[in-house]
Coordinates of all heavy atoms in Angstrom, one line a residue:
E712 N 6.0 -25.4 -15.2 CA 5.6 -24.4 -14.1 C 5.2 -25.1 -12.9 O 5.6 -24.7 -11.8 CB 4.6 -23.5 -14.7 CG 4.3 -22.4 -13.7 CD 3.2 -21.4 -14.2 OE1 3.1 -21.2 -15.4 OE2 2.4 -20.9 -13.4
S713 N 4.3 -26.1 -13.0 CA 3.9 -26.8 -11.8 C 5.0 -27.6 -11.1 O 5.0 -27.7 -9.9 CB 2.7 -27.8 -12.1 OG 3.1 -28.8 -13.0
H714 N 5.9 -28.1 -11.9 CA 7.1 -28.7 -11.3 C 7.9 -27.7 -10.5 O 8.3 -28.1 -9.3 CB 8.0 -29.4 -12.4 CG 9.2 -30.0 -11.9 ND1 9.2 -31.2 -11.2 CD2 10.5 -29.6 -12.0 CE1 10.5 -31.5 -10.9 NE2 11.3 -30.5 -11.3
Y715 N 8.1 -26.6 -11.0 CA 8.9 -25.5 -10.3 C 8.2 -25.2 -9.0 O 8.8 -25.1 -8.0 CB 9.0 -24.3 -11.2 CG 9.5 -23.1 -10.4 CD1 10.8 -22.9 -10.0 CD2 8.6 -22.0 -10.1 CE1 11.2 -21.8 -9.3 CE2 9.0 -20.9 -9.4 CZ 10.3 -20.8 -9.0 OH 10.7 -19.7 -8.3
R716 N 6.8 -24.9 -9.1 CA 6.1 -24.6 -7.9 C 6.2 -25.7 -6.8 O 6.3 -25.4 -5.6 CB 4.6 -24.4 -8.3 CG 4.2 -22.9 -8.3 CD 2.7 -22.8 -8.4 NE 2.1 -23.6 -9.3 CZ 1.6 -23.3 -10.5 NH1 1.5 -22.0 -10.8 NH2 1.1 -24.1 -11.3
S717 N 6.1 -26.9 -7.3 CA 6.1 -28.1 -6.4 C 7.5 -28.1 -5.7 O 7.6 -28.3 -4.5 CB 5.9 -29.4 -7.1 OG 6.0 -30.5 -6.3
R718 N 8.6 -28.0 -6.4 CA 9.9 -28.0 -5.9 C 10.1 -26.8 -4.9 O 10.8 -27.0 -3.9 CB 11.0 -28.0 -6.9 CG 10.9 -29.4 -7.7 CD 12.1 -29.6 -8.6 NE 13.3 -29.4 -7.9 CZ 14.2 -30.3 -7.5 NH1 14.0 -31.6 -7.9 NH2 15.3 -30.0 -6.9
F719 N 9.6 -25.7 -5.3 CA 9.8 -24.5 -4.5 C 9.0 -24.7 -3.1 O 9.6 -24.4 -2.1 CB 9.2 -23.2 -5.2 CG 9.5 -21.9 -4.5 CD1 10.6 -21.2 -4.9 CD2 8.7 -21.5 -3.4 CE1 10.9 -20.0 -4.3 CE2 9.0 -20.3 -2.8 CZ 10.1 -19.5 -3.2
F720 N 7.8 -25.2 -3.2 CA 7.0 -25.5 -2.0 C 7.7 -26.5 -1.1 O 7.8 -26.3 0.1 CB 5.6 -26.0 -2.4 CG 4.7 -26.1 -1.2 CD1 4.0 -25.0 -0.8 CD2 4.6 -27.2 -0.5 CE1 3.2 -25.0 0.3 CE2 3.8 -27.3 0.6 CZ 3.0 -26.2 1.0
H721 N 8.3 -27.5 -1.7 CA 9.0 -28.5 -0.9 C 10.2 -27.9 -0.2 O 10.5 -28.2 0.9 CB 9.4 -29.6 -1.9 CG 10.2 -30.7 -1.1 ND1 9.5 -31.6 -0.3 CD2 11.5 -31.1 -1.1 CE1 10.4 -32.4 0.2 NE2 11.6 -32.1 -0.3
A722 N 10.9 -27.0 -0.9 CA 12.1 -26.4 -0.3 C 11.8 -25.3 0.7 O 12.5 -25.2 1.7 CB 13.0 -25.8 -1.4
Y723 N 10.7 -24.5 0.5 CA 10.4 -23.3 1.3 C 9.2 -23.4 2.2 O 8.9 -22.6 3.0 CB 10.4 -22.1 0.5 CG 11.7 -21.7 -0.1 CD1 12.0 -22.1 -1.4 CD2 12.7 -21.1 0.6 CE1 13.3 -21.8 -2.0 CE2 14.0 -20.8 0.1 CZ 14.2 -21.2 -1.2 OH 15.5 -20.9 -1.8
G724 N 8.3 -24.4 1.9 CA 7.1 -24.6 2.7 C 6.0 -23.7 2.3 O 5.0 -23.6 3.1
E725 N 6.1 -22.9 1.2 CA 5.1 -22.1 0.8 C 5.2 -21.8 -0.7 O 6.3 -22.1 -1.3 CB 5.1 -20.7 1.5 CG 6.3 -20.0 1.4 CD 6.4 -18.8 2.4 OE1 5.4 -18.6 3.2 OE2 7.5 -18.2 2.5
T726 N 4.2 -21.4 -1.4 CA 4.2 -21.1 -2.8 C 5.1 -19.9 -3.1 O 5.4 -19.1 -2.2 CB 2.8 -20.8 -3.4 OG1 2.4 -19.6 -2.8 CG2 1.8 -21.9 -3.1
P727 N 5.6 -19.9 -4.3 CA 6.5 -18.7 -4.7 C 5.7 -17.4 -4.5 O 6.3 -16.4 -4.0 CB 6.8 -18.9 -6.2 CG 6.7 -20.4 -6.4 CD 5.6 -20.8 -5.4
R728 N 4.4 -17.3 -4.8 CA 3.7 -16.1 -4.6 C 3.6 -15.7 -3.1 O 3.8 -14.6 -2.8 CB 2.2 -16.3 -5.2 CG 1.4 -15.0 -4.9 CD 0.0 -15.2 -5.5 NE 0.2 -14.9 -6.9 CZ -0.8 -15.0 -7.8 NH1 -2.0 -15.4 -7.4 NH2 -0.5 -14.8 -9.0
K729 N 3.3 -16.7 -2.3 CA 3.2 -16.4 -0.8 C 4.6 -16.0 -0.3 O 4.7 -15.1 0.5 CB 2.7 -17.6 -0.1 CG 2.5 -17.4 1.4 CD 1.3 -16.4 1.6 CE 1.0 -16.2 3.0 NZ 0.1 -15.1 3.3
Y730 N 5.7 -16.6 -0.8 CA 7.0 -16.3 -0.4 C 7.3 -14.8 -0.7 O 7.9 -14.1 0.1 CB 8.0 -17.2 -1.1 CG 9.4 -17.0 -0.7 CD1 9.9 -17.6 0.5 CD2 10.3 -16.3 -1.5 CE1 11.3 -17.5 0.9 CE2 11.6 -16.1 -1.1 CZ 12.1 -16.7 0.1 OH 13.4 -16.5 0.4
L731 N 7.0 -14.4 -1.9 CA 7.2 -13.1 -2.4 C 6.4 -12.1 -1.6 O 6.9 -11.0 -1.2 CB 7.0 -12.9 -3.9 CG 7.2 -11.5 -4.5 CD1 8.6 -11.1 -4.3 CD2 6.9 -11.6 -6.0
Q732 N 5.2 -12.4 -1.3 CA 4.3 -11.6 -0.5 C 4.9 -11.4 0.9 O 4.9 -10.3 1.4 CB 2.9 -12.1 -0.4 CG 2.1 -12.0 -1.6 CD 0.8 -12.8 -1.5 OE1 0.6 -13.7 -0.7 NE2 -0.2 -12.5 -2.4
N733 N 5.4 -12.4 1.5 CA 6.1 -12.3 2.8 C 7.3 -11.5 2.8 O 7.6 -10.7 3.7 CB 6.4 -13.7 3.4 CG 5.1 -14.4 3.8 OD1 4.1 -13.8 4.1 ND2 5.2 -15.8 3.8
L734 N 8.1 -11.6 1.7 CA 9.3 -10.8 1.6 C 8.9 -9.3 1.5 O 9.5 -8.4 2.1 CB 10.1 -11.1 0.3 CG 10.9 -12.4 0.4 CD1 11.6 -12.6 -1.0 CD2 12.0 -12.3 1.5
K735 N 7.9 -9.0 0.7 CA 7.4 -7.6 0.5 C 6.9 -7.1 1.8 O 7.2 -5.9 2.2 CB 6.4 -7.5 -0.5 CG 6.9 -7.7 -2.0 CD 5.7 -7.5 -2.9 CE 6.2 -7.5 -4.4 NZ 5.1 -7.2 -5.3
A736 N 6.1 -7.9 2.6 CA 5.6 -7.5 3.8 C 6.7 -7.2 4.9 O 6.6 -6.2 5.6 CB 4.6 -8.5 4.4
T737 N 7.7 -8.0 4.9 CA 8.8 -7.8 5.8 C 9.6 -6.5 5.5 O 9.9 -5.7 6.4 CB 9.8 -9.0 5.7 OG1 9.1 -10.2 6.2 CG2 11.0 -8.8 6.6
E738 N 9.8 -6.3 4.2 CA 10.5 -5.0 3.8 C 9.6 -3.8 4.1 O 10.1 -2.8 4.5 CB 10.9 -5.1 2.3 CG 11.7 -3.9 1.8 CD 13.0 -3.6 2.4 OE1 13.5 -4.4 3.3 OE2 13.7 -2.7 2.1
A739 N 8.4 -3.9 3.8 CA 7.5 -2.8 4.1 C 7.5 -2.5 5.6 O 7.6 -1.3 6.0 CB 6.0 -3.2 3.7
R740 N 7.4 -3.5 6.5 CA 7.5 -3.2 7.9 C 8.8 -2.5 8.3 O 8.8 -1.6 9.1 CB 7.3 -4.5 8.7 CG 5.9 -5.0 8.7 CD 5.7 -6.2 9.7 NE 6.5 -7.3 9.4 CZ 6.2 -8.3 8.6 NH1 5.1 -8.3 8.0 NH2 7.1 -9.3 8.4
R741 N 9.9 -3.0 7.7 CA 11.2 -2.4 8.0 C 11.2 -0.9 7.6 O 11.6 0.0 8.3 CB 12.3 -3.2 7.3 CG 13.7 -2.7 7.7 CD 14.8 -3.3 6.8 NE 14.8 -2.8 5.5 CZ 15.3 -1.6 5.1 NH1 15.8 -0.8 6.0 NH2 15.2 -1.2 3.9
L742 N 10.8 -0.6 6.4 CA 10.8 0.7 5.9 C 9.8 1.6 6.7 O 10.2 2.8 6.9 CB 10.4 0.8 4.4 CG 11.5 0.2 3.4 CD1 10.9 0.0 2.0 CD2 12.7 1.0 3.4
L743 N 8.7 1.1 7.0 CA 7.8 1.9 7.8 C 8.3 2.2 9.2 O 8.2 3.3 9.8 CB 6.4 1.2 8.0 CG 5.5 1.2 6.8 CD1 4.5 0.1 6.9 CD2 4.9 2.5 6.5
H744 N 9.1 1.3 9.8 CA 9.6 1.4 11.1 C 10.9 2.3 11.1 O 11.1 3.1 12.0 CB 9.9 0.1 11.7 CG 10.4 0.1 13.1 ND1 11.7 -0.2 13.4 CD2 9.8 0.5 14.3 CE1 11.8 0.0 14.7 NE2 10.7 0.3 15.3
E745 N 11.8 2.1 10.1 CA 13.1 2.7 10.1 C 13.2 4.0 9.3 O 14.3 4.6 9.4 CB 14.1 1.7 9.6 CG 14.3 0.5 10.5 CD 15.2 -0.6 10.0 OE1 15.9 -0.3 9.0 OE2 15.4 -1.6 10.6
T746 N 12.2 4.3 8.5 CA 12.4 5.5 7.7 C 11.1 6.4 7.8 O 10.1 6.0 8.4 CB 12.5 5.2 6.2 OG1 11.2 4.7 5.7 CG2 13.5 4.1 5.9
S747 N 11.2 7.6 7.3 CA 10.1 8.5 7.3 C 9.6 8.6 5.8 O 8.9 9.6 5.5 CB 10.4 9.8 7.9 OG 11.5 10.4 7.1
L748 N 9.9 7.7 5.0 CA 9.4 7.7 3.6 C 7.9 7.7 3.6 O 7.3 7.0 4.4 CB 9.9 6.5 2.8 CG 11.4 6.4 2.5 CD1 11.8 5.0 2.0 CD2 11.8 7.5 1.6
P749 N 7.3 8.4 2.6 CA 5.9 8.4 2.5 C 5.4 7.0 2.1 O 6.2 6.2 1.4 CB 5.6 9.3 1.3 CG 6.8 10.2 1.2 CD 8.0 9.4 1.7
I750 N 4.2 6.6 2.5 CA 3.7 5.3 2.3 C 3.7 5.0 0.8 O 4.0 3.9 0.4 CB 2.4 5.1 3.0 CG1 2.6 5.0 4.5 CG2 1.7 3.8 2.5 CD1 1.3 5.0 5.3
K751 N 3.3 6.0 0.0 CA 3.3 5.8 -1.5 C 4.7 5.4 -2.0 O 4.8 4.5 -2.8 CB 2.8 7.0 -2.1 CG 2.7 6.9 -3.6 CD 2.3 8.2 -4.3 CE 2.2 7.9 -5.8 NZ 1.9 9.0 -6.6
E752 N 5.7 6.0 -1.5 CA 7.1 5.7 -2.0 C 7.5 4.3 -1.5 O 8.1 3.5 -2.2 CB 8.1 6.7 -1.5 CG 9.5 6.5 -2.1 CD 10.4 7.6 -1.8 OE1 10.0 8.7 -1.7 OE2 11.6 7.3 -1.8
I753 N 7.1 3.9 -0.3 CA 7.4 2.5 0.2 C 6.7 1.5 -0.7 O 7.3 0.5 -1.1 CB 7.0 2.4 1.7 CG1 7.9 3.2 2.5 CG2 7.0 0.9 2.1 CD1 7.4 3.3 4.0
A754 N 5.4 1.8 -1.0 CA 4.7 0.9 -1.9 C 5.4 0.7 -3.3 O 5.6 -0.4 -3.8 CB 3.3 1.4 -2.2
E755 N 5.9 1.8 -3.8 CA 6.6 1.7 -5.1 C 7.9 1.0 -5.0 O 8.3 0.2 -5.8 CB 6.9 3.2 -5.6 CG 5.6 3.9 -6.1 CD 5.8 5.3 -6.4 OE1 6.9 5.9 -6.2 OE2 4.8 6.0 -6.8
R756 N 8.7 1.2 -3.9 CA 10.0 0.6 -3.7 C 9.9 -0.9 -3.6 O 10.8 -1.6 -4.0 CB 10.6 1.1 -2.4 CG 11.3 2.5 -2.6 CD 12.1 2.8 -1.4 NE 12.7 4.1 -1.7 CZ 13.8 4.5 -1.0 NH1 14.4 3.8 -0.1 NH2 14.2 5.7 -1.3
I757 N 8.8 -1.4 -3.0 CA 8.7 -2.9 -2.9 C 7.9 -3.5 -4.0 O 7.6 -4.7 -4.0 CB 8.1 -3.3 -1.5 CG1 6.7 -2.7 -1.2 CG2 9.1 -2.8 -0.4 CD1 6.1 -3.3 0.0
G758 N 7.5 -2.7 -5.0 CA 6.9 -3.3 -6.2 C 5.4 -3.2 -6.4 O 4.9 -3.9 -7.3
Y759 N 4.8 -2.4 -5.7 CA 3.3 -2.2 -5.9 C 3.1 -1.0 -6.9 O 3.7 0.1 -6.7 CB 2.6 -1.9 -4.6 CG 2.4 -3.2 -3.8 CD1 3.4 -3.6 -2.9 CD2 1.4 -4.1 -4.1 CE1 3.2 -4.8 -2.2 CE2 1.2 -5.3 -3.3 CZ 2.2 -5.6 -2.4 OH 2.0 -6.7 -1.7
A760 N 2.3 -1.2 -7.9 CA 2.0 -0.1 -8.9 C 1.2 1.0 -8.3 O 1.3 2.1 -8.7 CB 1.3 -0.7 -10.1
D761 N 0.3 0.6 -7.3 CA -0.5 1.7 -6.7 C -0.6 1.5 -5.2 O -0.5 0.4 -4.7 CB -1.8 1.8 -7.3 CG -2.8 0.7 -7.0 OD1 -3.1 0.5 -5.8 OD2 -3.3 0.0 -8.0
V762 N -0.8 2.5 -4.5 CA -0.8 2.5 -3.0 C -2.0 1.8 -2.5 O -2.0 1.2 -1.4 CB -0.7 3.9 -2.4 CG1 -2.0 4.7 -2.6 CG2 -0.3 3.9 -1.0
V763 N -3.1 1.7 -3.2 CA -4.3 1.0 -2.8 C -4.0 -0.5 -2.7 O -4.4 -1.2 -1.7 CB -5.5 1.3 -3.7 CG1 -6.7 0.4 -3.3 CG2 -5.9 2.8 -3.6
A764 N -3.4 -1.1 -3.7 CA -3.0 -2.5 -3.7 C -2.0 -2.8 -2.5 O -2.2 -3.8 -1.8 CB -2.4 -2.9 -5.0
F765 N -1.1 -1.9 -2.3 CA -0.2 -2.0 -1.2 C -0.9 -2.0 0.1 O -0.7 -2.9 1.0 CB 0.9 -1.0 -1.2 CG 1.7 -0.9 0.1 CD1 2.6 -1.9 0.4 CD2 1.6 0.2 0.9 CE1 3.3 -1.9 1.6 CE2 2.3 0.2 2.1 CZ 3.2 -0.8 2.4
H766 N -1.8 -1.1 0.3 CA -2.6 -0.9 1.5 C -3.4 -2.2 1.8 O -3.3 -2.7 3.0 CB -3.5 0.3 1.4 CG -4.2 0.7 2.7 ND1 -5.3 0.1 3.2 CD2 -3.8 1.6 3.6 CE1 -5.6 0.7 4.3 NE2 -4.7 1.6 4.6
R767 N -4.0 -2.8 0.8 CA -4.8 -4.0 1.0 C -3.9 -5.2 1.4 O -4.2 -5.9 2.3 CB -5.5 -4.3 -0.3 CG -6.8 -3.6 -0.5 CD -7.6 -4.3 -1.6 NE -8.5 -3.2 -2.2 CZ -8.4 -2.8 -3.4 NH1 -7.6 -3.4 -4.3 NH2 -9.2 -1.8 -3.9
A768 N -2.8 -5.3 0.6 CA -1.9 -6.4 0.9 C -1.3 -6.3 2.3 O -1.2 -7.3 3.0 CB -0.8 -6.5 -0.2
F769 N -0.8 -5.1 2.7 CA -0.2 -4.9 4.0 C -1.2 -5.2 5.1 O -0.9 -5.9 6.1 CB 0.3 -3.5 4.1 CG 1.1 -3.2 5.4 CD1 2.5 -3.5 5.4 CD2 0.5 -2.9 6.5 CE1 3.2 -3.3 6.5 CE2 1.2 -2.7 7.7 CZ 2.6 -2.9 7.7
T770 N -2.4 -4.7 4.9 CA -3.4 -4.9 6.0 C -3.8 -6.4 6.1 O -3.9 -6.9 7.2 CB -4.7 -4.0 5.6 OG1 -4.3 -2.7 5.6 CG2 -5.8 -4.2 6.7
A771 N -3.8 -7.1 5.0 CA -4.1 -8.5 5.1 C -3.0 -9.3 5.8 O -3.3 -10.2 6.5 CB -4.4 -9.1 3.7
A772 N -1.8 -8.9 5.5 CA -0.6 -9.6 6.1 C -0.4 -9.2 7.5 O 0.2 -10.0 8.3 CB 0.6 -9.3 5.3
N773 N -0.8 -8.0 8.0 CA -0.4 -7.5 9.3 C -1.5 -7.2 10.2 O -1.3 -6.8 11.3 CB 0.5 -6.3 9.1 CG 1.8 -6.6 8.4 OD1 2.7 -7.2 9.0 ND2 1.9 -6.3 7.1
A774 N -2.7 -7.3 9.8 CA -3.9 -7.1 10.6 C -4.0 -5.6 11.0 O -4.6 -5.3 12.1 CB -4.1 -8.0 11.7
C775 N -3.3 -4.7 10.3 CA -3.4 -3.3 10.6 C -3.0 -2.5 9.4 O -2.3 -3.1 8.5 CB -2.6 -2.9 11.8 SG -0.8 -2.9 11.6
T776 N -3.3 -1.3 9.3 CA -2.9 -0.5 8.1 C -1.5 -0.1 8.2 O -0.9 -0.1 9.3 CB -3.8 0.8 8.0 OG1 -3.5 1.6 9.1 CG2 -5.3 0.4 7.9
P777 N -0.9 0.3 7.1 CA 0.5 0.8 7.1 C 0.7 2.0 8.1 O 1.6 2.1 8.8 CB 0.8 1.1 5.7 CG -0.1 0.4 4.9 CD -1.3 0.2 5.7
G778 N -0.3 2.9 8.0 CA -0.2 4.1 8.9 C -0.3 3.8 10.4 O 0.5 4.3 11.2
K779 N -1.2 2.8 10.7 CA -1.3 2.4 12.1 C 0.0 1.7 12.6 O 0.5 1.9 13.7 CB -2.5 1.5 12.3 CG -2.7 1.1 13.8 CD -4.0 0.4 14.0 CE -4.2 -0.1 15.4 NZ -3.5 0.4 16.5
F780 N 0.5 0.8 11.7 CA 1.8 0.1 12.0 C 2.9 1.2 12.3 O 3.6 1.0 13.3 CB 2.2 -0.8 10.8 CG 3.4 -1.5 11.1 CD1 3.4 -2.7 11.8 CD2 4.7 -1.0 10.7 CE1 4.6 -3.4 12.0 CE2 5.9 -1.7 11.0 CZ 5.8 -2.9 11.7
R781 N 3.0 2.2 11.5 CA 4.0 3.2 11.7 C 3.8 4.0 13.0 O 4.7 4.2 13.7 CB 4.1 4.1 10.5 CG 5.1 5.3 10.7 CD 5.2 6.1 9.5 NE 6.3 5.6 8.6 CZ 6.5 5.9 7.4 NH1 5.7 6.8 6.8 NH2 7.5 5.4 6.7
R782 N 2.6 4.3 13.2 CA 2.3 5.1 14.5 C 2.5 4.3 15.7 O 3.0 4.8 16.7 CB 0.8 5.5 14.5 CG 0.5 6.7 13.6 CD -0.9 7.3 13.8 NE -1.9 6.3 13.6 CZ -2.5 5.9 12.5 NH1 -2.1 6.5 11.3 NH2 -3.4 5.0 12.4
D783 N 2.2 3.0 15.7 CA 2.4 2.1 16.9 C 3.8 1.5 17.1 O 4.0 1.0 18.1 CB 1.3 1.0 16.8 CG -0.1 1.5 16.9 OD1 -0.3 2.7 17.2 OD2 -1.0 0.7 16.6
A784 N 4.6 1.7 16.0 CA 6.0 1.1 16.1 C 6.8 1.8 17.2 O 6.7 3.1 17.3 CB 6.6 1.1 14.8
P785 N 7.6 1.1 18.0 CA 8.4 1.8 18.9 C 9.5 2.7 18.2 O 9.9 2.3 17.1 CB 9.1 0.7 19.7 CG 9.0 -0.5 18.9 CD 7.8 -0.3 18.0
P786 N 9.9 3.8 18.8 CA 10.9 4.6 18.1 C 12.2 3.8 17.8 O 12.6 3.0 18.6 CB 11.2 5.8 19.1 CG 10.4 5.4 20.3 CD 9.6 4.2 20.1
V787 N 12.9 4.2 16.8 CA 14.2 3.6 16.4 C 15.2 4.3 17.2 O 15.3 5.5 17.3 CB 14.5 3.8 14.9 CG1 15.9 3.2 14.6 CG2 13.4 3.0 14.1
A788 N 16.1 3.6 17.9 CA 17.2 4.2 18.7 C 18.3 4.7 17.9 O 18.6 4.4 16.8 CB 17.7 3.1 19.7

């Protein structure tokens, strides 16, 4: 396992966990911006078992809540 983590870090510059968190955050931002899906459904779609965990992770990664991100995002053309 440590060998895999080391090789992954060497290839991608971050741990597998951080890489996955970044992928989830990117997809969450896209869904919040491009859809009107409820935040709970977005959390489920990207792999969070509960909306509270999603809210914490999103806020930590983006320095704002999912709701604020959605409200502040420019309209989709």
Side-chain angles (χ1 to χ4, degrees):
E712 185 179 328
S713 64
H714 176 71
Y715 166 75
R716 258 193 313 250
S717 176
R718 291 192 51 110
F719 191 96
F720 188 86
H721 181 70
Y723 295 98
E725 56 193 356
T726 65
R728 175 177 285 176
K729 186 67 175 168
Y730 183 84
L731 182 58
Q732 288 171 339
N733 287 336
L734 284 177
K735 286 181 173 186
T737 298
E738 181 64 0
R740 286 190 301 271
R741 186 188 72 76
L742 290 170
L743 286 164
H744 184 250
E745 296 178 4
T746 74
S747 60
L748 291 169
I750 291 172
K751 181 179 181 186
E752 188 170 331
I753 291 172
E755 291 170 356
R756 283 189 180 203
I757 62 172
Y759 285 92
D761 73 62
V762 74
V763 174
F765 168 68
H766 192 276
R767 276 193 210 120
F769 187 91
T770 302
N773 297 284
C775 70
T776 65
K779 180 168 177 23
F780 180 88
R781 177 174 268 169
R782 283 189 304 275
D783 294 348
V787 176

